[in-house]
Amino acid sequence: MLEVCPGQESDQSWIEEALIREWDDPMIERAGEFIDARTLPAIVAWIDGRRVGLATLLHLPGATEIMTINSFEKGMSIGTEMLAWIERNAADRGSTKIVVFTSNDNIDALRFYQRRGFRLEKVWRDSITEARKVKTTIPLKGHYGIPCCDEIELTKNLPIRV
């Protein structure tokens, strides 16, 4: 059975290892700035005592931003369940929307978020090209051989709670 819960102190070394494995570095670029995802609140997905998903969150005034999200086993609705948990938690915290950034080449992420109610908000033109000057491990070409140069900001409005 899949369980999603806040990351604990005992998860910290695993979180750092996962960020390095999945993102090459815990410093995550978005919209022209770098944020250390190790310092952010994390959620961990578990199945049968195994960690199978990780997300890190940035709480902003009125919004919750998904800084990173990864499912380590495909086809088990791990990403969907983590996203549902994030939405419930964000609404409980008073957030009115969820924000996420992805690279222009990440067609799979764009499909995932849009199928779950996210809308395109803004294109951060050449933000990845600029970030590559600092974080040289960012590839020139990404998924499906698409040049990786822009970020796409997506948002999902949350129901207003009274």
Side-chain angles (χ1 to χ4, degrees), residues 16-34:
E16 184 170 354
E17 290 168 9
L19 289 168
I20 291 169
R21 181 179 65 248
E22 299 296 321
W23 299 89
D24 293 322
D25 187 325
M27 298 302 290
I28 306 299
E29 188 277 339
R30 62 84 154 128
E33 69 177 310
F34 286 89

Side-chain angles (χ1 to χ4, degrees), residues 69 76-84 87 98 108-119 154-158:
I69 187 168
M76 299 184 70
S77 299
I78 296 165
T80 300
E81 290 300 318
M82 287 193 300
L83 187 56
E87 289 179 17
I98 304 286
D108 295 332
L110 288 167
R111 181 181 64 219
F112 174 82
Y113 290 116
Q114 289 181 84
R115 288 181 68 190
R116 286 153 184 86
F118 282 75
R119 302 285 308 271
L154 298 101
T155 61
K156 180 177 183 179
N157 292 329
L158 298 174

Side-chain angles (χ1 to χ4, degrees), residues 139-154:
L140 291 171
K141 288 195 176 181
H143 302 279
Y144 307 105
I146 298 171
C148 188
C149 47
D150 308 317
E151 284 178 283
I152 299 171
E153 181 179 350
L154 298 101

